[in-house]
Amino acid sequence: MTTKPHWERLYATKPSHRLGWYEPSLQTSLALIRRTGVTRAAPIIDVGGGASTLVDDLLEAGFEDLTVLDIAAAALAQARARLGERAGRVRWIEGDVTDVILPDDHYAIWHDRAVFHFLTDAEDRTRYVDRLWRALTAGGHIVIATFAPEAPPTCSGLAVVRYTPEGLHRELGASLTLREHHQALHVTPGGVEQRYLYCRFQKPD
């Protein structure tokens, strides 16, 4: 990916609650994470978490081993400032998910809301999937949201790839088990309707 300046500029010029993907609480993601059945000590990574409030909700729910990865330092800085002292309970990684170094066989849950669909280049998607498979434990879960086929073809000034459950399954790996999927309508702060596809996959044991 070569979009770091794009995201840094967005976060530097707009408050996070005015950005297109903002939701005050990611209840859909939180519900999917809870339905994995992992313990509160299970390692979770939020890919592209940025200034999202999911980490707040996970801390409030008692999850103890949290990592937030984002390409934009400005986004991570906003989240750390919001959390205050609680930010010290989270591992923060500034990096591009397509080339970041993550621990092998470590995470019980890989969460991604709206990063993967920005990977319009097949090589970037291959690198993303390679890192996902390396970092996820055997039997681990992927909770991921992308634009559905009915969603707009762009977001925040960038082109996106829209997915069906079957198409996303093929991209992430046919040996995964698709545990559940559904669509949800997101309305941006500017009033634009975006239909998201949410999926929960599980890696083989």
Side-chain angles (χ1 to χ4, degrees), residues 117 146-154 160 162 183 193-196:
H117 67 203
T146 68
F147 270 16
E150 301 86 353
T154 62
V160 299
R162 294 167 289 183
Q183 289 192 10
E193 294 187 350
Q194 299 171 333
R195 189 160 290 278
Y196 275 77

Side-chain angles (χ1 to χ4, degrees), residues 3-129:
T3 55
K4 180 175 174 61
H6 177 86
W7 298 118
E8 295 285 11
R9 183 171 59 255
L10 276 181
Y11 278 103
T13 56
K14 283 187 177 182
S16 59
H17 67 274
R18 297 299 304 165
L19 295 171
W21 54 90
Y22 175 79
E23 287 189 35
S25 182
L26 299 187
Q27 289 300 313
T28 302
S29 291
L30 190 61
L32 288 168
I33 288 170
R34 283 174 167 153
R35 287 204 290 275
T36 65
V38 301
T39 70
R40 295 299 189 268
I44 299 174
I45 184 168
D46 186 12
V47 175
S52 162
T53 60
L54 179 64
V55 66
D56 308 55
D57 291 334
L58 291 172
L59 286 169
E60 185 67 26
F63 288 95
E64 303 166 3
D65 192 340
L66 303 176
T67 298
V68 177
L69 165 67
D70 202 276
I71 198 169
L76 297 175
Q78 288 184 25
R80 288 197 298 264
R82 185 183 67 240
L83 285 170
E85 291 184 359
R86 292 192 298 165
R89 295 159 55 188
V90 179
R91 184 184 181 208
W92 306 92
I93 302 176
E94 178 191 344
D96 182 337
V97 67
T98 65
D99 63 19
V100 71
I101 297 174
L102 297 171
D104 290 346
D105 302 316
H106 181 69
Y107 300 105
I109 296 178
W110 175 287
H111 174 264
D112 170 0
R113 179 180 178 272
V115 171
F116 190 69
H117 67 203
F118 283 112
L119 303 183
T120 57
D121 183 88
E123 187 175 334
D124 283 340
R125 293 196 295 273
T126 297
R127 288 198 293 264
Y128 175 108
V129 171

